[in-house]
Amino acid sequence: MTLQLNVPNMACSACSHTIAKAIQAIDPAATVQADPKTKLVEVDTQASEPMIRNAITTAGYTIAN
């Protein structure tokens, strides 16, 4: 499943790295592309969307609806 999420408080490459690590902690096989310029996180994962959203918010980021 591929998810595209808007993360408005992702400001830099360190933020995108933190988000990727948080997602890969619950799904090590996940592919994560996080772009601080567009604020978009694209995730190809077998984990559920609520699990991915929870990993991002637990890492300290917000997800726009």
Side-chain angles (χ1 to χ4, degrees), residues 40-64:
L40 291 178
V41 177
E42 193 168 297
V43 185
D44 187 16
T45 181
Q46 297 302 311
S48 68
E49 182 173 347
M51 287 177 68
I52 297 300
R53 287 178 169 268
N54 186 49
I56 293 171
T57 55
T58 300
Y61 297 92
T62 54
I63 299 170

Side-chain angles (χ1 to χ4, degrees), residues 14-39:
C15 296
S16 60
H17 182 71
T18 300
I19 290 169
K21 279 181 55 176
I23 292 168
Q24 289 169 336
I26 58 166
D27 181 2
T31 315
V32 182
Q33 292 182 329
D35 187 346
K37 291 183 183 78
T38 62
K39 310 295 187 194

